[in-house]
Amino acid sequence: MNRLLPFALALFAATMFFTACGGDSGSGASDEISVNSSDDEGLDAASSSGKTSKKSSSSKGSSAKSSDGASSADVTLSSSQGRLSSSSVAAGTDRGSSSSGAASSGAVSSSSLKPCSPEDEGEIRTIMKTREDQMCTNGYWVPLSSSSEAESSSSYFDMTNQFNPDVEYGEFTDPRDGQTYRTVTIDYRYHMRGVDSVTIFAENLNYGKMVAGGTVQGDSTKYCYDDDPWYCENGWGGLYTWSNAMGFPAVCDSVSISSDKCPSKFDYSSENEEFDGDVYFLQHQGICPEGWHVMNEDIWVILGEISTHSVANVIGSPVAGFGNHNYYGLSILPGGFWQLNKFDQIKVSAGFYLPQQHDSKDAVARAVYVEKNDFARSWGASKIHALSVRCVKNY
């Protein structure tokens, strides 16, 4: 198994909580990278191999036509949803709404909307002549109104297509609270170390009592996006600080583990001697149920390899336009996170802590960042931010 192959790492809009801590899992590099970009015109992205620049919006060729016949000079398609936060989710993408619902303010009706292709679902374009933003929603280009009626933080998502109907899912009921999760089993690929396959939660963990964002998390607590329990209860799951995700005291978010203030530490022993002492295969239960552990870097490596460069398209759920195929049924959602004293990046990205902390920074942990077409592992996130958790059955 070659788990030292570097990934094509890129950070996208508003990912301020990530700083590099070794993009190549085998290089030991510790170059620090800060990202401060939420500009609609372009995003500065950096990787461990050097800085690059990537536009968040791209225009079609001069001879290309949009679905309503407008020339490419008039239409700009945005590949990132960075302009939309939880306070500006168009009603057209909401639970139970249709294309006409997106224009509930009465500006347009469904009969006047132009059709869009399934590949553009969830994308945004701008009609340059009128400077009107439109989102491809349920097969139509729907205007994004700036009115508070059309952009409401109380709007929800249609979760009908969260899972892949062609995948055979398993089921696991958490004995702690009786909550049932779908699971999916995938080939381990390498058939090494006596492991042929791994079983993974196909949903984000949703264990614990909701507390307000910014509250110090304790045992059996979580944040729900926008302090709204709907997200926790409808597939998006809870958001957990690093110490809570690892089952450590909250003080471990600000100091190093194994220190006087945080005597907690990871147990690298394993029934399989080949796993012993290897951080990539660490099976640390953390906040996961008995017999399960927080997804470690080894499994994320496998998911990254089977996803190539279309991460969310392969392992992501179609909900919110995050993916189209969800081939393996992992159904990863762009659940956003809590960072810098606010909930951010819903529909844009997802973050997952690893059972590791930064090599040199006490208050920074290793994390995985997933965006529609990008996947960064072994990057750093402040321990006091709150990310999603996926659990893997012990092997």
Side-chain angles (χ1 to χ4, degrees):
M1 177 178 104
N2 186 355
R3 52 183 172 76
L4 301 181
L5 290 176
F7 278 79
L9 306 179
L11 297 184
F12 281 75
T15 54
M16 295 177 62
F17 79 103
F18 282 95
T19 54
C21 53
D24 181 342
S25 61
S27 67
S30 59
D31 297 336
E32 286 196 7
I33 299 173
S34 61
V35 177
N36 295 284
S37 175
S38 58
D39 189 356
D40 288 339
E41 296 302 319
L43 305 178
D44 290 328
S47 70
S48 58
S49 60
K51 292 185 177 181
T52 61
S53 178
K54 182 170 183 177
K55 295 291 184 182
S56 64
S57 60
S58 59
S59 299
K60 293 181 179 179
S62 58
S63 62
K65 296 286 184 178
S66 69
S67 57
D68 63 356
S71 69
S72 59
D74 296 329
V75 179
T76 298
L77 290 179
S78 171
S79 62
S80 172
Q81 310 301 326
R83 274 180 274 182
L84 297 180
S85 67
S86 61
S87 61
S88 60
V89 178
T93 62
D94 301 345
R95 178 180 57 178
S97 65
S98 64
S99 55
S100 60
S104 59
S105 60
V108 296
S109 66
S110 59
S111 61
S112 66
L113 300 176
K114 302 298 183 181
C116 58
S117 65
E119 291 76 16
D120 288 331
E121 187 71 19
E123 296 294 333
I124 296 174
R125 72 176 186 177
T126 300
I127 306 299
M128 300 306 293
K129 287 183 178 179
T130 62
R131 303 301 300 173
E132 178 185 66
D133 287 340
Q134 298 178 348
M135 176 182 283
C136 180
T137 304
N138 297 327
Y140 292 92
W141 288 111
V142 180
L144 294 179
S145 171
S146 60
S147 70
S148 59
E149 291 183 24
E151 298 182 326
S152 170
S153 60
S154 64
S155 53
Y156 298 128
F157 297 93
D158 183 352
M159 304 303 294
T160 305
N161 298 318
Q162 179 181 357
F163 303 104
N164 185 342
D166 298 323
V167 169
E168 183 178 352
Y169 288 96
E171 194 174 88
F172 171 79
T173 300
D174 191 336
R176 298 173 298 180
D177 58 8
Q179 187 159 219
T180 299
Y181 299 88
R182 291 196 189 192
T183 64
V184 64
T185 299
I186 65 170
D187 184 8
Y188 187 69
R189 287 182 68 82
Y190 309 109
H191 301 289
M192 298 171 63
R193 300 178 174 85
V195 179
D196 294 324
S197 62
V198 291
T199 300
I200 307 170
F201 273 23
E203 305 176 60
N204 291 339
L205 182 69
N206 184 34
Y207 173 70
K209 177 182 178 182
M210 187 188 88
V211 295
T215 304
V216 175
Q217 291 189 0
D219 183 36
S220 303
T221 61
K222 66 190 175 190
Y223 299 157
C224 297
Y225 199 90
D226 263 358
D227 290 330
D228 187 339
W230 184 90
Y231 288 97
C232 284
E233 296 166 359
N234 287 274
W236 300 81
L239 298 172
Y240 304 90
T241 59
W242 185 77
S243 64
N244 195 16
M246 299 304 131
F248 295 156
V251 67
C252 298
D253 283 336
S254 57
V255 300
S256 176
I257 59 173
S258 301
S259 65
D260 291 340
K261 292 183 178 180
C262 174
S264 302
K265 60 183 180 180
F266 293 117
D267 181 4
Y268 293 99
S269 63
S270 170
E271 294 181 2
N272 189 325
E273 293 182 359
E274 293 187 70
F275 289 127
D276 287 350
D278 196 329
V279 65
Y280 298 109
F281 304 98
L282 176 61
Q283 297 186 49
H284 179 73
Q285 178 180 346
I287 199 170
C288 291
E290 184 73 29
W292 298 74
H293 58 272
V294 177
M295 193 182 297
N296 57 34
E297 187 158 357
D298 179 56
I299 305 304
W300 281 113
V301 167
I302 294 174
L303 298 185
E305 289 184 353
I306 63 179
S307 301
T308 61
H309 298 292
S310 299
V311 180
N313 273 340
V314 176
I315 63 176
S317 174
V319 172
F322 197 53
N324 294 329
H325 304 295
N326 194 17
Y327 288 128
Y328 295 87
L330 267 295
S331 306
I332 289 177
L333 292 166
F337 32 76
W338 166 267
Q339 63 145 355
L340 302 177
N341 297 316
K342 64 178 181 179
F343 293 99
D344 198 10
Q345 296 291 285
I346 192 79
K347 294 183 61 178
V348 178
S349 59
F352 300 86
Y353 283 122
L354 293 171
Q356 305 170 44
Q357 69 174 22
H358 192 281
D359 294 337
S360 60
K361 296 184 178 180
D362 295 345
V364 178
R366 298 261 186 177
V368 167
Y369 171 76
V370 181
E371 202 174 70
K372 189 168 185 177
N373 291 310
D374 292 270
F375 176 32
R377 65 182 179 84
S378 293
W379 292 77
S382 172
K383 293 178 179 178
I384 61 172
H385 295 158
L387 313 183
S388 303
V389 169
R390 286 292 177 106
C391 300
V392 178
K393 192 172 183 179
N394 293 347
Y395 45 83

